[in-house]
Amino acid sequence: MMLNHAAIFWFFVAVPGQLIFVVYIVAFYSRGVIAGDLALWNKVLAAGYVPGNTMGNLALAVHLLLAAVITIGGPLQLLPQLRSRVPRFHRWSGRVYMVSAFIMSLTGLYLIWVKGGVVGGLVQHTGTSLNAIAILLCGFMALRYAMARKIEIHRRWAMRLYLAVSGVWFFRVGLLFWLIVNKGPVGFDVKTFLGPFLDFLAFAQFVVPIAVLEVYFRVQQKSGASAKFAVAAGLFVLTIAMGVGIFGTTMGMWLPRI
């Protein structure tokens, strides 16, 4: 019971933080579109809008749009009440979610390795690229088992997909948690955005959430009460840390730009 409560607690802390992220994306980036001045995007992106680079700018616009779509769509896919009461909506929104995740991953890889100018070094770019590959893999497996009508396996892959897709969100939340705890930047340079902590975070942004999910799966099925209690306690602690990061990111990065 406590393990389920810990998972519900995590969900109700994470989802509002993700919705604030969506509001920020829509509010800030649409401002440049409405004003007809996409160069406004460069206030937060090192190499956002580049005059004359039609493909690069289009890839960026699609990537940002789909980031908002899948951040909203992910929690909807996980709600059991929605799946059971309106299964048709669940299936169609799931298709939109998966297609959006695939395109977002591919445009992300294009922005890193073709368009260029993305902040961070090779290690960070590699970590983010592996995150994109994890999204493609989890999406493929979730689709495969949905088509095979193996719903429980599909559900697990869909949850992995949700966490992988949330990688960029976890990166920002983890970064602000780190800054708050250390009362400033430790392990990286704020001007160059390079350093061992950011290299670690580029991989941890998707590896850690999925690893915690795998532990949750295994303990939920086979372990005794003591193991479930330990994992639930750990999940509560991680959720509180995530909440601190959400608060810091909201107040320091998102709300000032809405």
Side-chain angles (χ1 to χ4, degrees):
M1 182 66 71
M2 184 176 178
L3 189 60
N4 291 334
H5 288 329
I8 293 171
F9 177 53
W10 181 93
F11 186 81
F12 279 100
V13 172
V15 171
Q18 293 184 330
L19 293 179
I20 295 171
F21 184 45
V22 172
V23 172
Y24 155 71
I25 292 173
V26 173
F28 178 79
Y29 291 101
S30 66
R31 194 175 303 143
V33 176
I34 294 171
D37 183 12
L38 299 186
L40 290 174
W41 295 358
N42 296 340
K43 289 184 177 181
V44 296
L45 298 174
Y49 173 73
V50 179
N53 188 348
T54 304
M55 283 299 298
N57 295 331
L58 179 61
L60 177 61
V62 171
H63 187 78
L64 293 171
L65 174 63
L66 294 182
V69 171
I70 63 176
T71 304
I72 294 174
L76 292 178
Q77 291 302 112
L78 300 183
L79 289 173
Q81 298 87 349
L82 200 62
R83 293 199 304 268
S84 59
R85 294 177 183 176
V86 278
R88 185 180 179 84
F89 174 81
H90 173 75
R91 288 194 296 270
W92 277 103
S93 63
R95 293 179 181 123
V96 172
Y97 182 77
M98 287 187 184
V99 171
S100 299
F102 271 73
I103 297 174
M104 191 193 73
S105 299
L106 294 175
T107 54
L109 291 170
Y110 177 89
L111 293 171
I112 292 173
W113 300 108
V114 180
K115 182 174 183 288
V118 180
V119 296
L122 179 61
V123 176
Q124 290 180 53
H125 295 167
T126 302
T128 304
S129 298
L130 289 176
N131 191 172
I133 293 170
I135 292 171
L136 295 172
L137 173 63
C138 292
F140 172 78
M141 297 300 288
L143 178 61
R144 174 188 175 187
Y145 285 109
M147 294 176 67
R149 298 293 188 269
K150 296 182 178 180
I151 301 305
E152 182 57 29
I153 302 177
H154 158 74
R155 184 183 68 85
R156 292 193 172 206
W157 279 107
M159 292 176 71
R160 295 179 184 112
L161 173 62
Y162 167 66
L163 294 179
V165 163
S166 302
V168 293
W169 181 82
F170 281 121
F171 186 97
R172 287 157 175 76
V173 170
L175 175 59
L176 264 294
F177 171 78
W178 182 258
L179 290 172
I180 291 171
V181 168
N182 291 288
K183 298 180 180 179
V186 174
F188 70 97
D189 185 278
V190 292
K191 294 182 179 179
T192 63
F193 215 62
L194 296 172
F197 173 71
L198 295 181
D199 292 345
F200 162 77
L201 194 57
F203 292 88
Q205 64 182 342
F206 68 100
V207 172
V208 172
I210 292 176
V212 172
L213 179 65
E214 295 303 321
V215 172
Y216 175 85
F217 283 154
R218 282 156 178 73
V219 170
Q220 185 184 41
Q221 281 191 329
K222 300 179 180 179
S223 299
S226 59
K228 290 181 179 178
F229 178 84
V231 172
L235 188 54
F236 272 115
V237 172
L238 288 173
T239 303
I240 292 171
M242 182 179 68
V244 172
I246 291 171
F247 175 79
T249 312
T250 300
M251 301 306 295
M253 295 176 62
W254 297 334
L255 281 184
R257 297 188 176 108
I258 292 177

